[in-house]
Amino acid sequence: MPQDKKKTPRPRAETPKGFRDYFGADVTERKAMLDRIAAIYHLHGFEPLETSAIESVEALGKFLPDVDRPNAGVFAWQEEDVPGGGRGDWLALRYDLTAPLARVAAQFRNDLPSPYRRYAMGPVWRNEKPGPGRFRQFYQCDADTVGSASVAADAELCAMLADALEAVGIARSDYIVRINNRKVLNGVLEAANIRPDQADDVLRQIDKFDKVGADGVRQLLTVGRKDDSGAVIEGVGLDEAQTQPLLAFMTSKGADNAETLANLRAAVGASEIGAQGVDELAQIADMLSALGVGEDRVLIDPSVVRGLGYYTGPVFEAELTFEILDDKGRKRQFGSVAGGGRYDGLVERFTGQKVPATGVSIGVDRLLAALRAKGLGGSDTRGPVVVTVMDRDRMADYHAMAAELRDAGIRAEVYLGNPKNFGNQLKYADKRNAPVAIIQGGDEAARGVVQIKDLILGARLAAEVSHEEWKSQPAQTEAPREGLVAAVREMLARW
């Protein structure tokens, strides 16, 4: 007999590595949070923008094609052969929401108002090695002003960010928006006589100030130091005289903005660019004061150095200050959930003309995790009321009940599985997290009534939770058919 052909293996039912699926509560809670943020941005006069998920690699700018594919970092492909011969353009999934904005600002510069203020929310993709908490697809939420060189735009973004955090439920005492300026740091580097080839190394060591303190950074900037494991970390090689302006900068945070600004002026010395940066921070502080935003919400803080390699002026970061427990049960602050700053060179790639811009980006998943940590997920995770089916021949009656509930604004559905086993219908309602089940058999129909089952109370009584108030309320009641909506509303009002 001829041998059977080898069967084609079934595909594996698993999410690709570095990606994940979002179910009910994840989607609804994220949408509720983003809707509240969008309302704040709209209130400040920003317009929504949705761009294509795909951009040309040329437009993305940071990544260029090599022989086979663009450099690692983006998901990219080359279009098939085009008419006339040759290969098509390289295309890629967007890796952030800023590069598409730069393209839009250049492409539609004659149609858009200037300055152009927009916000955007959506997924972005990074072709990076995934890890714990690190995914290849994630959400971003950005707001940017393109075309204004005034630091008033930066001040407004900081105030708007603070408003957005409070709008989603973060208490005023649980966050701080911190501001620094790349020009200040440039002035400090100039005062310290740091060579261009040393600047990145110096920035990396300054960024460790919070972890190792002033003395630890001094060692890292000069001769090096041993870390906690005993490993020797090589120093940058600066002399002591060069470290003085850097240390003055790192320790310049004062009791208030006025003291911090005075300390920063001393740290930048005679540097013109440094003085300009301090002046910009002083202007931002004045504008925030005029907006009614106090230093308990937005504060000048020289310790913000992340992103200074990318930004050209003011830079800001929103940090949540409340404590959570890490994986090992240790207390730690939740940390950063948003960041931004001024990036005046991005649109210039398309137009050849300098176009000032500033923006802020919220880490959507991080902020949602913070809200959950505080018990502020903010969405109703209850499922719909489930109308059970006791008689197949009366499906129209059951659908009429569901439609009546929906017309009253109550989520409802009819059970559409096999109705033979009533227990399976209640199991389905449980999986749907339904708060209420509607039951009407032939006897109830003849009497013109319905049975309304409180599934939340039933579950708690079944768990033998001792609570007299719950036990005094029946888990199932009978109501007239014409009073269905009122009876369901009353039962839902319990919870």
Side-chain angles (χ1 to χ4, degrees):
M1 291 181 64
Q3 190 174 3
D4 291 340
K5 292 183 178 179
K6 189 175 181 181
K7 291 184 178 180
T8 303
R10 293 189 180 96
R12 290 178 298 177
E14 60 183 36
T15 311
K17 192 174 183 180
F19 294 86
R20 56 180 162 170
D21 301 308
Y22 296 89
F23 293 93
D26 293 327
V27 177
T28 55
E29 287 183 12
R30 179 179 64 202
K31 182 180 183 303
M33 182 184 78
L34 292 178
D35 284 348
R36 290 193 287 271
I37 294 172
I40 294 296
Y41 291 173
H42 182 77
L43 196 63
H44 279 258
F46 284 67
E47 295 290 337
L49 172 68
E50 290 185 5
T51 61
S52 167
I54 297 170
E55 296 280 344
S56 71
V57 169
E58 181 184 24
L60 288 177
K62 184 178 178 181
F63 304 95
L64 298 174
D66 56 21
V67 175
D68 298 318
R69 49 157 286 179
N71 295 331
V74 293
F75 288 100
W77 63 94
Q78 192 172 24
E79 292 205 283
E80 297 299 320
D81 295 343
V82 295
R87 298 282 287 175
D89 293 334
W90 277 96
L91 303 177
L93 289 170
R94 64 189 182 201
Y95 63 85
D96 70 5
L97 297 176
T98 309
L101 170 63
R103 190 261 305 158
V104 165
Q107 182 177 351
F108 300 100
R109 60 187 180 277
N110 295 326
D111 304 315
L112 293 172
S114 183
Y116 174 51
R117 298 143 65 85
R118 81 90 175 88
Y119 66 88
M121 301 172 177
V124 297
W125 295 266
R126 305 274 173 93
N127 190 1
E128 299 172 339
K129 184 178 180 181
R134 187 181 183 90
F135 294 92
R136 290 170 163 176
Q137 176 182 321
F138 52 93
Y139 256 72
Q140 284 190 337
C141 170
D142 288 14
D144 297 76
T145 298
V146 179
S148 174
S150 170
V151 291
D154 303 277
E156 180 184 33
L157 285 177
C158 292
M160 192 168 73
L161 176 57
D163 287 345
L165 292 176
E166 293 184 19
V168 301
I170 302 296
R172 188 162 292 190
S173 58
D174 281 340
Y175 75 89
I176 190 72
V177 179
R178 303 181 297 147
I179 312 173
N180 197 1
N181 194 311
R182 172 67 205 231
K183 294 176 182 178
V184 173
L185 188 55
N186 285 347
V188 171
L189 295 176
E190 185 178 317
N193 294 314
I194 303 300
R195 300 191 312 268
D197 64 298
Q198 294 175 310
D200 286 345
D201 254 353
V202 169
L203 281 177
R204 277 193 291 271
Q205 307 316 325
I206 289 177
D207 192 29
K208 298 174 184 175
F209 176 73
D210 287 341
K211 292 182 179 178
V212 302
D215 191 55
V217 174
R218 177 189 285 108
Q219 294 172 7
L220 290 169
L221 291 172
T222 54
V223 297
R225 68 187 296 271
K226 287 185 179 180
D227 65 15
D228 293 338
S229 68
V232 176
I233 303 174
E234 188 177 347
V236 178
L238 305 184
D239 59 40
E240 287 294 334
Q242 288 179 293
T243 64
Q244 290 311 308
L246 300 172
L247 291 171
F249 166 75
M250 287 183 285
T251 58
S252 59
K253 184 179 177 182
D256 55 24
N257 282 342
E259 184 178 341
T260 301
L261 289 168
N263 292 339
L264 287 175
R265 290 195 189 281
V268 300
S271 169
E272 185 176 336
I273 189 69
Q276 183 181 340
V278 177
D279 288 341
E280 289 181 357
L281 288 176
Q283 292 174 46
I284 290 174
D286 289 343
M287 291 172 197
L288 289 170
S289 179
L291 287 167
V293 179
E295 294 181 21
D296 60 327
R297 303 174 69 197
V298 183
L299 185 69
I300 294 171
D301 188 342
S303 69
V304 180
V305 294
R306 286 186 179 89
L308 284 179
Y310 172 73
Y311 295 114
T312 58
V315 58
F316 26 91
E317 181 177 70
E319 182 178 300
L320 302 188
T321 56
F322 61 82
E323 289 185 334
I324 59 170
L325 297 179
D326 65 15
D327 294 339
K328 297 182 179 179
R330 298 170 299 192
K331 287 185 177 181
R332 65 172 180 83
Q333 284 193 349
F334 191 90
S336 176
V337 293
R342 182 161 286 277
Y343 54 98
D344 286 345
L346 203 60
V347 183
E348 183 181 1
R349 295 178 45 250
F350 295 94
T351 63
Q353 300 172 333
K354 287 193 176 298
V355 179
T358 184
V360 64
S361 181
I362 293 175
V364 172
D365 293 326
R366 286 274 298 165
L367 183 53
L368 189 55
L371 293 178
R372 287 174 172 169
K374 294 287 283 184
L376 298 168
S379 75
D380 186 355
T381 58
R382 291 182 304 182
V385 171
V386 172
V387 179
T388 61
V389 175
M390 305 298 288
D391 185 347
R392 291 176 187 266
D393 296 332
R394 297 183 50 248
M395 287 296 289
D397 293 339
Y398 298 130
H399 279 284
M401 293 181 198
E404 193 174 319
L405 290 169
R406 288 194 290 265
D407 287 344
I410 299 170
R411 248 185 120 195
E413 66 171 70
V414 177
Y415 178 74
L416 296 178
N418 186 344
K420 187 174 181 180
N421 188 322
F422 182 69
N424 285 343
Q425 297 194 49
L426 293 183
K427 287 180 181 178
Y428 170 82
D430 183 55
K431 279 192 174 182
R432 295 287 283 124
N433 200 23
V436 171
I438 308 299
I439 305 166
Q440 190 190 59
D443 176 63
E444 285 90 1
R447 294 190 293 117
V449 298
V450 292
Q451 299 290 334
I452 304 176
K453 188 174 183 63
D454 187 333
L455 299 177
I456 299 176
L457 180 59
R460 297 189 182 186
L461 292 177
E464 296 182 347
V465 177
S466 177
H467 196 304
E468 293 307 316
E469 183 181 349
W470 293 345
K471 291 185 178 181
S472 68
Q473 301 180 70
Q476 184 168 314
T477 60
E478 186 174 277
R481 169 64 184 85
E482 64 270 18
L484 172 66
V485 169
V488 170
R489 275 191 175 142
E490 182 180 351
M491 191 166 282
L492 292 175
R494 294 178 180 179
W495 312 109

